[in-house]
Short mmCIF file of all heavy atoms in Angstrom, two decimals:
data_model
loop_
_atom_site.label_atom_id
_atom_site.label_comp_id
_atom_site.label_asym_id
_atom_site.label_seq_id
_atom_site.Cartn_x
_atom_site.Cartn_y
_atom_site.Cartn_z
N ASP A 1 -2.28 3.14 13.29
CA ASP A 1 -1.84 4.46 12.86
C ASP A 1 -2.03 4.61 11.35
O ASP A 1 -1.49 3.83 10.57
CB ASP A 1 -0.36 4.62 13.23
CG ASP A 1 0.26 5.91 12.73
OD1 ASP A 1 -0.48 6.88 12.51
OD2 ASP A 1 1.50 5.94 12.58
N THR A 2 -2.77 5.62 10.93
CA THR A 2 -3.04 5.80 9.50
C THR A 2 -1.77 6.14 8.72
O THR A 2 -1.63 5.75 7.56
CB THR A 2 -4.08 6.92 9.28
OG1 THR A 2 -3.64 8.12 9.94
CG2 THR A 2 -5.44 6.52 9.80
N ILE A 3 -0.83 6.85 9.35
CA ILE A 3 0.40 7.21 8.64
C ILE A 3 1.25 5.97 8.38
O ILE A 3 1.67 5.72 7.25
CB ILE A 3 1.19 8.26 9.44
CG1 ILE A 3 0.39 9.57 9.54
CG2 ILE A 3 2.56 8.52 8.79
CD1 ILE A 3 1.05 10.63 10.41
N GLU A 4 1.49 5.19 9.41
CA GLU A 4 2.30 3.98 9.23
C GLU A 4 1.59 2.99 8.30
O GLU A 4 2.24 2.30 7.51
CB GLU A 4 2.59 3.33 10.58
CG GLU A 4 3.67 2.26 10.54
CD GLU A 4 5.00 2.83 10.09
OE1 GLU A 4 5.38 3.93 10.55
OE2 GLU A 4 5.67 2.17 9.26
N THR A 5 0.27 2.93 8.39
CA THR A 5 -0.49 2.03 7.51
C THR A 5 -0.36 2.44 6.06
O THR A 5 -0.13 1.61 5.17
CB THR A 5 -1.98 2.02 7.92
OG1 THR A 5 -2.08 1.60 9.29
CG2 THR A 5 -2.78 1.09 7.04
N GLY A 6 -0.49 3.76 5.80
CA GLY A 6 -0.33 4.24 4.43
C GLY A 6 1.06 3.98 3.89
O GLY A 6 1.24 3.65 2.72
N GLY A 7 2.07 4.13 4.76
CA GLY A 7 3.43 3.84 4.34
C GLY A 7 3.62 2.37 4.02
O GLY A 7 4.26 2.00 3.02
N ALA A 8 3.04 1.50 4.85
CA ALA A 8 3.16 0.05 4.63
C ALA A 8 2.49 -0.35 3.32
O ALA A 8 3.06 -1.11 2.52
CB ALA A 8 2.52 -0.69 5.80
N LEU A 9 1.28 0.15 3.09
CA LEU A 9 0.57 -0.18 1.85
C LEU A 9 1.30 0.37 0.63
O LEU A 9 1.33 -0.27 -0.43
CB LEU A 9 -0.86 0.36 1.91
CG LEU A 9 -1.80 -0.30 2.92
CD1 LEU A 9 -3.12 0.45 2.99
CD2 LEU A 9 -2.06 -1.77 2.55
N GLY A 10 1.90 1.55 0.78
CA GLY A 10 2.63 2.13 -0.34
C GLY A 10 3.81 1.28 -0.77
O GLY A 10 4.06 1.09 -1.97
N VAL A 11 4.55 0.74 0.19
CA VAL A 11 5.69 -0.13 -0.14
C VAL A 11 5.19 -1.43 -0.78
O VAL A 11 5.79 -1.93 -1.75
CB VAL A 11 6.54 -0.42 1.11
CG1 VAL A 11 7.67 -1.38 0.77
CG2 VAL A 11 7.10 0.87 1.68
N LEU A 12 4.08 -1.97 -0.29
CA LEU A 12 3.51 -3.16 -0.91
C LEU A 12 3.07 -2.89 -2.35
O LEU A 12 3.25 -3.73 -3.24
CB LEU A 12 2.30 -3.65 -0.10
CG LEU A 12 2.61 -4.40 1.21
CD1 LEU A 12 1.31 -4.71 1.93
CD2 LEU A 12 3.40 -5.67 0.95
N MET A 13 2.51 -1.71 -2.58
CA MET A 13 2.10 -1.35 -3.93
C MET A 13 3.30 -1.18 -4.85
O MET A 13 3.24 -1.54 -6.05
CB MET A 13 1.25 -0.08 -3.91
CG MET A 13 -0.15 -0.30 -3.36
SD MET A 13 -1.16 1.21 -3.40
CE MET A 13 -2.79 0.53 -2.95
N ALA A 14 4.40 -0.67 -4.33
CA ALA A 14 5.62 -0.55 -5.13
C ALA A 14 6.14 -1.91 -5.56
O ALA A 14 6.87 -2.02 -6.56
CB ALA A 14 6.68 0.21 -4.34
N GLN A 15 5.77 -2.95 -4.82
CA GLN A 15 6.17 -4.32 -5.15
C GLN A 15 5.09 -5.07 -5.93
O GLN A 15 5.19 -6.28 -6.15
CB GLN A 15 6.49 -5.08 -3.86
CG GLN A 15 7.76 -4.61 -3.17
CD GLN A 15 8.99 -4.87 -4.00
OE1 GLN A 15 9.19 -5.97 -4.51
NE2 GLN A 15 9.82 -3.85 -4.18
N ASN A 16 4.03 -4.35 -6.31
CA ASN A 16 2.91 -4.94 -7.05
C ASN A 16 2.18 -6.04 -6.29
O ASN A 16 1.51 -6.89 -6.89
CB ASN A 16 3.37 -5.48 -8.42
CG ASN A 16 3.80 -4.37 -9.35
OD1 ASN A 16 3.13 -3.35 -9.46
ND2 ASN A 16 4.93 -4.57 -10.02
N VAL A 17 2.31 -6.05 -4.96
CA VAL A 17 1.48 -6.96 -4.15
C VAL A 17 0.03 -6.50 -4.25
O VAL A 17 -0.90 -7.31 -4.30
CB VAL A 17 1.96 -6.96 -2.68
CG1 VAL A 17 1.06 -7.83 -1.81
CG2 VAL A 17 3.41 -7.44 -2.61
N ILE A 18 -0.15 -5.20 -4.27
CA ILE A 18 -1.42 -4.54 -4.57
C ILE A 18 -1.10 -3.50 -5.63
O ILE A 18 -0.01 -2.91 -5.62
CB ILE A 18 -2.01 -3.83 -3.32
CG1 ILE A 18 -2.03 -4.77 -2.11
CG2 ILE A 18 -3.41 -3.29 -3.59
CD1 ILE A 18 -2.27 -4.05 -0.79
N ALA A 19 -2.00 -3.25 -6.54
CA ALA A 19 -1.74 -2.26 -7.59
C ALA A 19 -1.97 -0.85 -7.04
O ALA A 19 -2.88 -0.63 -6.24
CB ALA A 19 -2.64 -2.50 -8.79
N PHE A 20 -1.16 0.11 -7.47
CA PHE A 20 -1.44 1.50 -7.13
C PHE A 20 -2.84 1.87 -7.63
O PHE A 20 -3.23 1.52 -8.74
CB PHE A 20 -0.41 2.44 -7.77
CG PHE A 20 0.87 2.55 -6.99
CD1 PHE A 20 2.07 2.08 -7.51
CD2 PHE A 20 0.88 3.13 -5.73
CE1 PHE A 20 3.25 2.18 -6.80
CE2 PHE A 20 2.06 3.23 -4.99
CZ PHE A 20 3.25 2.75 -5.53
N GLY A 21 -3.58 2.55 -6.80
CA GLY A 21 -4.93 2.95 -7.15
C GLY A 21 -6.00 1.92 -6.83
O GLY A 21 -7.20 2.21 -6.96
N ASP A 22 -5.60 0.73 -6.40
CA ASP A 22 -6.56 -0.34 -6.10
C ASP A 22 -7.06 -0.18 -4.67
O ASP A 22 -6.54 -0.80 -3.73
CB ASP A 22 -5.90 -1.70 -6.31
CG ASP A 22 -6.87 -2.87 -6.08
OD1 ASP A 22 -8.05 -2.62 -5.78
OD2 ASP A 22 -6.43 -4.03 -6.21
N ALA A 23 -8.09 0.63 -4.50
CA ALA A 23 -8.62 0.91 -3.17
C ALA A 23 -9.20 -0.35 -2.52
O ALA A 23 -8.99 -0.61 -1.33
CB ALA A 23 -9.68 2.00 -3.24
N GLN A 24 -9.92 -1.15 -3.31
CA GLN A 24 -10.51 -2.36 -2.75
C GLN A 24 -9.44 -3.35 -2.32
O GLN A 24 -9.56 -4.01 -1.28
CB GLN A 24 -11.45 -3.02 -3.76
CG GLN A 24 -12.29 -4.15 -3.18
CD GLN A 24 -13.16 -3.71 -2.02
OE1 GLN A 24 -13.97 -2.78 -2.16
NE2 GLN A 24 -13.02 -4.35 -0.86
#
């Protein structure tokens, strides 16, 4: 699901596991 996936990635980005804006 793209919605749940985007939500999951957003929370990870808030924790700096991935940087916001880091598409790769």
Side-chain angles (χ1 to χ4, degrees):
D1 175 24
T2 54
I3 296 176
E4 193 61 43
T5 302
L9 292 173
V11 177
L12 283 176
M13 287 182 171
Q15 290 295 311
N16 293 316
V17 177
I18 310 166
F20 278 115
D22 183 1
Q24 190 59 56

